[in-house]
Structure formats: structure tokens, C-alpha cells
């Protein structure tokens, strides 16, 4: 294993050891709740965070409660980092097949 591959694997392991990972895109939506006397009826809409993920051509979304926002944002960031590292490890293996060096 090359030093580069070792370094990538170690960073990947660190992410998985210290954090959750979550696949999706965070979208903040503004909406009205429907209560006639609420501030949102006067233009101050409620803001909610959703996690949107598309799998197999189908899009799903998940409401993220306020108290979960920071955690979910971190998991999403860590997922992205982990995926980039996986891609780099994959490139190394692509090269191994190409050069017939299992
Ligand atoms: Zn409202």
C-alpha cells in the first residue's frame, strides 16, 4: 500500500470513528403555518431545515428539528469528506487494475 493510500484510509477511518455521516443536501424553506394570528401571516415566515436526498431517481426529504440542526449539518459535512476520500481511494484502485498491480 502506498503512503498516499495509507493516508487516505487513515483519514477515512478518523471520520467514521469520530462522527456520524449522512447523505443529503440541506435546504432551508420558509413557510406559513396557517394560523391566522401567527406572525407568519404578517410576512414573518417560519424557517425550517430539511434534508433532501435523491436515491434511484426518487427524492425524499426529512424535516430537521431545530435542536438537531447542528448535528445534522456536521454529519452531512462529514459524509461529503468521507465520500471525497472514498473517491480518491477508488482512483488508486482504478490505477491498480489498469497497471495490473493488485
Ligand atoms: Zn405561523
Amino acid at each position: 500500500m502506498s503512503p498516499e493510500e495509507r493516508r487516505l484510509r487513515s483519514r477515512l477511518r478518523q471520520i467514521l470513528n469520530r462522527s456520524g455521516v449522512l447523505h443529503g443536501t440541506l435546504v432551508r424553506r420558509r413557510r406559513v403555518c396557517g394560523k391566522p394570528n401567527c406572525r407568519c401571516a404578517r410576512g414573518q415566515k417560519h424557517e425550517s431545515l430539511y434534508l433532501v436526498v435523491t436515491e434511484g431517481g426518487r427524492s425524499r426529504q426529512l424535516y430537521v428539528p431545530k435542536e438537531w440542526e447542528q448535528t445534522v449539518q456536521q454529519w452531512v459535512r462529514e459524509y461529503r469528506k468521507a465520500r471525497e476520500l472514498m473517491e480518491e481511494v477508488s482512483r488508486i484502485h482504478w490505477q491498480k487494475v489498469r497497471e495490473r498491480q493488485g
Side-chain angles (χ1 to χ4, degrees), residues 7-24:
R7 188 183 62 85
L8 293 168
R9 283 173 183 258
S10 146
R11 285 175 60 200
L12 197 51
R13 201 159 36 237
Q14 277 171 28
I15 289 176
L16 296 175
N17 283 343
R18 70 161 182 247
S19 172
V21 287
L22 186 52
H23 178 203

Side-chain angles (χ1 to χ4, degrees), residues 43-79:
Q44 277 186 282
K45 292 185 183 169
H46 303 281
E47 280 202 356
S48 308
L49 192 65
Y50 293 86
L51 181 74
V52 181
V53 62
T54 306
E55 275 166 358
R58 291 174 66 177
S59 173
R60 289 187 299 156
Q61 70 167 30
L62 180 66
Y63 167 68
V64 180
K66 269 268 180 293
E67 65 272 26
W68 277 83
E69 286 191 5
Q70 279 204 328
T71 303
V72 168
Q73 279 164 348
Q74 197 214 328
W75 289 353
V76 168
R77 272 199 306 273
E78 295 299 307
Y79 176 87

Side-chain angles (χ1 to χ4, degrees), residues 13-37:
R13 201 159 36 237
Q14 277 171 28
I15 289 176
L16 296 175
N17 283 343
R18 70 161 182 247
S19 172
V21 287
L22 186 52
H23 178 203
T25 305
L26 288 166
V27 182
R28 205 172 279 285
R29 297 216 173 99
R30 300 171 78 235
R31 59 180 180 85
V32 291
C33 67
K35 291 177 196 151
N37 294 322

Side-chain angles (χ1 to χ4, degrees), residues 35-39 41-42:
K35 291 177 196 151
N37 294 322
C38 186
R39 61 185 169 86
R42 297 188 300 275

